[in-house]
Amino acid sequence: MRHSTIMLLGIAALLSGTPLAAETTGAVRIFTIPGDARLFVDGERKGTSPSTVQETFLIHLAPGEYRIEARRDGFDPAEQEVFVAAGTEQTLQLSLAPEIAMVSIPAGCFLMGSPPEEPERDPDEGPQREVCVPAFEIGEREVTFADWDACVLDQGCTKNPSDEGWGRGDRPVINVSWDDVQEYLRWLNRLTGKGYRLPTEAEWEYAARAGTTTPFSTGACITTDQANYDGTFEYAGCGQPTDVNLGRTAPTGSYPPNPWGLLDMHGNVNELTQDCWNGGFDGAPTDGSAWLEGDCAKRVMRSGSWYGYAGYMRSAYRCRVGPGFNHRSIGFRIARSPGS
């Protein structure tokens, strides 16, 4: 019935010399957050939304009710019912909540830190002691540029970080500070209604070790087939260096997961945590919570990065950074407590 009406109206418009789109249809301008989403009207593909919020995708529709849907890989679909009247124009915003893949980590106890005999150990990695961590969830991968750019497009994040010319999409976001990340988390929680946060330092190491007690979750040694780091240096008699050094981030998931299914827990980017910096674990919490005392003008980072060598990839390795500082080697992943 609708298509027959459109045909008759079109014939009448041609006879009268009146433009069909101007008199017999309504205009709907669509933009999506993020952009580059596939657009559908009543299930029929119509095109792709522009990549920036300053542009819209224009559709002319006959009067009536329609279901407009946006889909993009890695994001939840968004849809909205609209009523279109002839001779009118409306703008429709569709927000696609980022699809953050989370891994459930079981409660358990582990020895946090490194033993005195671990090669290239730093004094701030001890004393080693038992920490019991409640169950929690942690991001399967590092937060990506696609995730972050959605926040920028939605005006939830004021920082639009450089990708150094390496590419965005599924590469981990870089050049963001601890303070920038707080803004992202506020936006994400407002959008999803979930209690996302940075992992605590204890949660991070527990998840990175994934039940292992060796320097790396891969064992006593690690290779550039297993993580993204500077492979031009030797570590602890593990054999000749591979001399592989990408000199940049790799797309998340380019390397095998650890035993608990987590990607890039060694290397790629240094990952920010909640904790304030302390030069050792004397007096640190043993319940897996964040240590929010000490030098809170610096925050703890874990993981090592593409910028570092194998010794920095160790599960116990720690470093620190000011909350306002950003760098091309710094990124993060998210966590949440059950029920939050």
Side-chain angles (χ1 to χ4, degrees):
M1 180 66 71
R2 180 187 293 165
H3 297 296
S4 299
T5 302
I6 293 173
M7 184 178 295
L8 292 172
L9 289 170
I11 294 171
L14 290 172
L15 293 174
S16 66
T18 304
L20 175 63
E23 298 297 330
T24 63
T25 66
V28 180
R29 294 186 177 275
I30 304 169
F31 70 88
T32 65
I33 301 168
D36 296 319
R38 301 184 301 278
L39 298 176
F40 299 82
V41 176
D42 288 344
E44 181 181 352
R45 175 75 183 272
K46 293 296 184 181
T48 302
S49 65
S51 58
T52 65
V53 75
Q54 287 78 23
E55 302 177 65
T56 58
F57 185 90
L58 176 63
I59 303 177
H60 288 281
L61 297 170
E65 293 185 358
Y66 298 88
R67 178 174 56 85
I68 298 180
E69 184 180 11
R71 305 176 195 165
R72 177 170 165 172
D73 294 341
F75 295 83
D76 295 333
E79 64 178 56
Q80 187 170 326
E81 300 284 339
V82 298
F83 178 78
V84 176
T88 64
E89 180 174 306
Q90 57 185 300
T91 299
L92 182 63
Q93 173 182 320
L94 295 173
S95 294
L96 293 79
E99 181 182 307
I100 306 292
M102 305 295 286
V103 175
S104 295
I105 304 298
C109 300
F110 77 113
L111 284 179
M112 184 173 177
S114 59
E117 67 275 10
E118 184 164 300
E120 302 191 24
R121 174 188 191 267
D122 290 322
D124 59 41
E125 297 168 20
Q128 199 175 32
R129 81 265 191 256
E130 185 179 65
V131 175
C132 293
V133 180
F136 68 102
E137 297 176 359
I138 193 167
E140 177 186 40
R141 55 175 170 76
E142 296 148 338
V143 170
T144 65
F145 267 105
D147 299 327
W148 189 277
D149 288 346
C151 181
V152 174
L153 282 172
D154 200 23
Q155 300 180 355
C157 292
T158 55
K159 178 68 175 292
N160 188 10
S162 168
D163 63 9
E164 302 290 335
W166 303 338
R168 301 177 88 82
D170 59 356
R171 288 182 186 270
V173 67
I174 53 174
N175 288 314
V176 292
S177 69
W178 193 92
D179 289 338
D180 296 329
V181 171
Q182 305 313 303
E183 194 174 48
Y184 173 84
L185 291 170
R186 286 191 293 271
W187 169 80
L188 184 61
N189 290 332
R190 183 171 66 250
L191 189 68
T192 65
K194 298 179 180 179
Y196 292 113
R197 54 178 173 77
L198 285 173
T200 70
E201 186 180 10
E203 287 173 336
W204 192 96
E205 184 175 330
Y206 178 59
R209 289 190 177 280
T212 65
T213 58
T214 47
F216 314 94
S217 66
T218 56
C221 300
I222 195 167
T223 73
T224 49
D225 290 332
Q226 298 168 316
N228 179 19
Y229 65 94
D230 183 350
T232 61
F233 296 90
E234 181 184 2
Y235 172 75
C238 287
Q240 288 295 315
T242 63
D243 289 331
V244 173
N245 180 18
L246 300 184
R248 63 182 62 192
T249 60
T252 57
S254 297
Y255 299 88
N258 79 358
W260 284 356
L262 300 175
L263 301 166
D264 301 306
M265 293 298 283
H266 302 297
N268 216 18
V269 291
N270 291 298
E271 297 185 11
L272 296 159
T273 70
Q274 288 188 46
D275 296 48
C276 300
W277 176 256
N278 287 272
F281 292 134
D282 282 321
T286 58
D287 61 357
S289 62
W291 197 2
L292 301 179
E293 298 176 351
D295 184 1
C296 293
K298 298 182 178 64
R299 298 287 172 159
V300 177
M301 294 193 302
R302 292 301 200 104
S303 160
S305 75
W306 62 268
Y307 194 69
Y309 71 104
Y312 293 168
M313 305 303 113
R314 295 176 299 111
S315 297
Y317 176 75
R318 311 169 69 224
C319 59
R320 59 194 181 273
V321 67
F325 181 78
N326 67 77
H327 190 263
R328 61 187 181 274
S329 67
I330 296 175
F332 69 106
R333 75 179 67 220
I334 59 175
R336 64 186 293 261
S337 302
S340 64

